[in-house]
Structure formats: C-alpha cells, structure tokens
Amino acid sequence: MNPLKKAKRNAKRSFATKTGIPTTKSGRKRKTEAIQGQAIFWVIVVALIIYFVSGDSDAALIGTTAQNVGTQ
C-alpha cells in the first residue's frame, strides 16, 4: 500500500475516534439520522410534559378564581 494513503487513512481514523464524527459520507448520514430520531423523541416528551403541567395549573387557577368570585 502507498505510504501516503496509509498515513491519510490513519489520520482520518484518529480524527474520527477523537471527535466522534465519522469521516465517510454514509457514516455521517447514519449518525445525523440517529440524532434526528432522538431529537424528535425528546421534543415530543418535553411537549407532553409542558402540556400536562400547564393543563393542571390552568385548571387549578380556574377553580380558585371561581371560588374567590363566589365568596365575594
């Protein structure tokens, strides 16, 4: 094997292992698809948490407002 190709291959491999960024096009594509899948999952989880937390607090505020109006 050509010594220049071997040095280039070793440099690419060491870069990929140190940074965690794949050097091949298919590797980068696979990694971005995995990250997108995780991001979509976490966006849905956070949206559900916000929905349920804000839903409960709105119901509590409406209930206390109705009680305050009735007592005045």
Side-chain angles (χ1 to χ4, degrees):
M1 176 177 261
N2 187 347
L4 295 176
K5 286 186 177 182
K6 189 173 183 180
K8 184 178 178 181
R9 186 179 64 191
N10 288 338
K12 288 173 76 173
R13 184 182 301 146
S14 67
F15 173 78
T17 55
K18 288 178 184 176
T19 61
I21 301 170
T23 54
T24 61
K25 187 175 183 178
S26 63
R28 288 190 304 267
K29 183 178 180 182
R30 187 173 55 243
K31 188 163 186 159
T32 55
E33 288 173 355
I35 291 172
Q36 286 174 350
Q38 292 174 356
I40 291 170
F41 171 77
W42 285 111
V43 166
I44 291 171
V45 168
V46 169
L48 287 173
I49 290 172
I50 291 172
Y51 173 74
F52 286 121
V53 168
S54 67
D56 291 340
S57 63
D58 288 345
L61 290 174
I62 293 171
T64 53
T65 306
Q67 290 173 354
N68 292 340
V69 170
T71 58
Q72 290 178 355

